[in-house]
Amino acid sequence: MLSGKHILLGVSGGIAAYKSALLVREFVRAGAEVQVVMTPAATRFITPLTLGTLSRRNVIIEMFPSGSGEQERQWTAHIDCALWAHLMLVAPATADTLAGIAHGFAGTFLAATALALRCPLAVAPSMDVDMYRHPATQENLGILRRRGVHVLEPEEGELASGLVGAGRLPEPAVVCRWVEGLLAPPPQDFLGRHLLVTAGPTHEPIDPVRFIGNRSSGKTGFALAAAAAERGAHVTLIAGPVHLPTPPGVHRVDVTTGREMYGAVMEAFPQSDALIMSAAVADFTPAEPSGRKIKKEALPEEGYALALIQNPDILKAAARSRRRQVLVGFALETENGLENARAKLSSKNLDLVVLNNPLEDGAGFGTDTNIVTLISAGGNAISLPKLPKADVAHRILDAVAPLIS
Ligand SMILES: Cc1cc2nc3c(=O)[nH]c(=O)nc-3n(C[C@H](O)[C@H](O)[C@H](O)COP(=O)(O)O)c2cc1C
């Protein structure tokens, strides 16, 4: 599976460094060429001799190796390594090394190489449960994910410290399969298909400076658009007000209000094969938004009631005018999730509902991961584990692909 691939394996100083020997063997067996790069701390856990022997290449550790000649030979080695690689995997990735890469520190050969890469970077965090859960580590992982770094979630279980929780490096075979998946070209199962994806919140104006909105970040919808484009689809992304970069190859239409989103969806819907409504469209909008900023003095001191009217239901309207299109809705539920999602599925005549609960740890708005259940028209429910939003997007598309064809 990895035949001819150049894998740069960065090993940092965590207890799971002992697994890197088996990881090298897995990669070599799968046909890859492996160059191991270690942090000085990693050499306290496993010897360069072991990793060099298994990889059949000298392990690189120091930025400034001692001894003349050697120093000259290696002065651009981190750049050469970075350009040589088809993928760099840091496994185990310590809290320290993750922080360094996230914040651009290039103090070790490993971190300097990670900054110089032109190929994908993947990291497998491994540490004690409290170090892993610490907001600093989680924020660093968030920074890396937002930059497109692939993060392998650590497994839960008994840790070297004796504590139980998340932080274990998955077994080498699992890590190797994951890397194979990252290097495999995405399936082109949406080639020639037109996908319409909505994302983000809507802002419903009260006056020119105030609005009613919600906390949707748009990340799931943007991940869906990116994944569909990677899989060959022609993608129209209708985005509410969010500050996210447009994924490559995606046609983006920016809107602000629910009514504008309704108009944009209805215009593009007839030409599409599927509509994925991940946007959090406001159900209600102010009945009479003011054309001028409402002055506090103009309002009664005891408060006032803002009259709201219903926004058009985009999914219902799409279901009424559909010919062959697949319809996918999202259900954000904090209680009775399955029941409410199934009710939405049938009342709106959908093919698939993606259910999630924003109150769960690692799910919902703003996070880089999500925990969703996919409920299909037959009532079948598939619960996915906590996954990065990019992976959730691919799993949703895996469920949509057979419905289209
Ligand atoms: C016995 C022992 C085990 C350690 N295991 C881990 C670990 O699993 N994960 C981690 O992030 N740090 C671990 N540390 C701390 C790191 O070794 C330390 O933060 C070091 O500075 C990391 O350097 P590096 O990121 O440059 O490799 C451990 C330290 C010791 C002494």
Side-chain angles (χ1 to χ4, degrees):
M1 292 292 284
L2 294 175
S3 175
K5 296 290 184 202
H6 294 177
I7 294 184
L8 200 54
L9 175 63
V11 181
S12 54
I15 194 70
Y18 76 93
K19 289 188 182 172
S20 54
L22 295 168
L23 194 51
V24 172
R25 286 191 64 178
E26 289 279 344
F27 285 145
V28 170
R29 264 199 211 130
E33 280 189 54
V34 184
Q35 171 66 60
V36 177
V37 172
M38 299 173 81
T39 62
T43 63
R44 308 289 288 262
F45 294 86
I46 183 163
T47 69
L49 181 66
T50 304
L51 298 182
T53 307
L54 292 171
S55 64
R56 302 181 201 125
R57 280 170 175 268
N58 282 339
V59 170
I60 307 177
I61 304 156
E62 301 294 342
M63 189 64 118
F64 304 103
S66 52
S68 59
E70 176 72 351
Q71 208 158 340
E72 275 163 44
R73 191 181 60 77
Q74 287 208 345
W75 78 277
T76 56
H78 59 294
I79 307 292
D80 294 341
C81 267
L83 296 180
W84 171 85
H86 294 127
L87 178 137
M88 180 173 188
L89 167 71
V90 185
T94 58
D96 179 60
T97 285
L98 289 170
I101 299 174
H103 295 281
F105 290 108
T108 61
F109 187 95
L110 187 157
T113 308
L115 291 185
L117 293 176
R118 290 187 181 177
C119 65
L121 172 63
V123 296
S126 165
M127 63 205 70
D128 193 60
V129 58
D130 297 306
M131 290 174 79
Y132 178 66
R133 283 206 198 127
H134 195 283
T137 305
Q138 290 303 317
E139 278 167 31
N140 289 334
L141 287 170
I143 290 172
L144 294 173
R145 282 195 186 98
R146 282 194 287 285
R147 287 194 199 131
V149 174
H150 304 281
V151 179
L152 181 62
E153 294 285 320
E155 283 178 355
E156 300 214 359
E158 197 182 327
L159 303 167
S161 58
L163 297 175
V164 175
R168 280 163 61 99
L169 181 69
E171 290 311 309
V174 174
V175 181
C176 185
R177 296 297 89 75
W178 181 65
V179 167
E180 282 173 356
L182 296 180
L183 283 169
Q188 294 298 293
D189 48 356
F190 284 89
L191 206 61
R193 302 295 189 184
H194 188 154
L195 256 63
L196 187 54
V197 180
T198 66
T202 62
H203 287 178
E204 308 298 326
I206 297 170
D207 68 15
V209 294
R210 304 181 181 95
F211 60 83
I212 298 174
N214 60 65
R215 296 185 197 281
S216 169
S217 66
K219 285 179 182 173
T220 297
F222 274 65
L224 273 161
E230 279 169 25
R231 291 165 73 153
H234 173 71
V235 184
T236 300
L237 171 64
I238 300 175
V242 292
H243 299 284
L244 292 173
T246 309
V250 167
H251 172 61
R252 173 174 180 172
V253 179
D254 285 311
V255 298
T256 305
T257 65
R259 193 159 279 280
E260 285 171 12
M261 189 166 282
Y262 171 80
V265 171
M266 284 308 158
E267 194 181 322
F269 185 63
Q271 300 81 265
S272 61
D273 295 292
L275 166 62
I276 306 184
M277 272 300 296
S278 78
V281 184
D283 294 321
F284 288 87
T285 189
E288 287 176 32
S290 166
R292 294 175 182 195
K293 185 182 170 209
I294 301 170
K295 301 288 284 176
K296 183 177 162 191
E297 298 74 35
L299 297 172
E301 255 176 45
E302 61 276 18
Y304 80 113
L306 187 65
L308 301 176
I309 51 167
Q310 226 173 21
N311 261 334
D313 187 321
I314 300 176
L315 268 175
K316 262 197 179 156
R320 274 200 297 273
S321 69
R322 82 202 286 193
R323 291 195 312 278
R324 59 186 193 288
Q325 289 95 337
V326 171
L327 292 183
V328 181
F330 277 65
L332 193 77
E333 305 287 348
T334 51
E335 51 199 339
N336 303 329
L338 269 178
E339 206 178 303
N340 292 340
R342 286 200 168 110
K344 186 168 187 171
L345 190 89
S346 65
S347 75
K348 298 202 178 186
N349 198 12
L350 307 180
D351 299 291
L352 189 75
V353 165
V354 182
L355 165 69
N356 77 326
N357 178 350
L359 302 185
E360 272 185 275
D361 197 21
F365 294 150
T367 58
D368 294 305
T369 54
N370 210 348
I371 307 166
V372 305
T373 302
L374 305 181
I375 303 153
S376 55
N380 230 3
I382 302 171
S383 295
L384 302 181
K386 182 165 92 177
L387 291 171
K389 284 187 172 168
D391 293 351
V392 172
H394 277 289
R395 300 291 285 268
I396 294 170
L397 293 180
D398 289 345
V400 171
L403 299 175
I404 291 186
S405 53

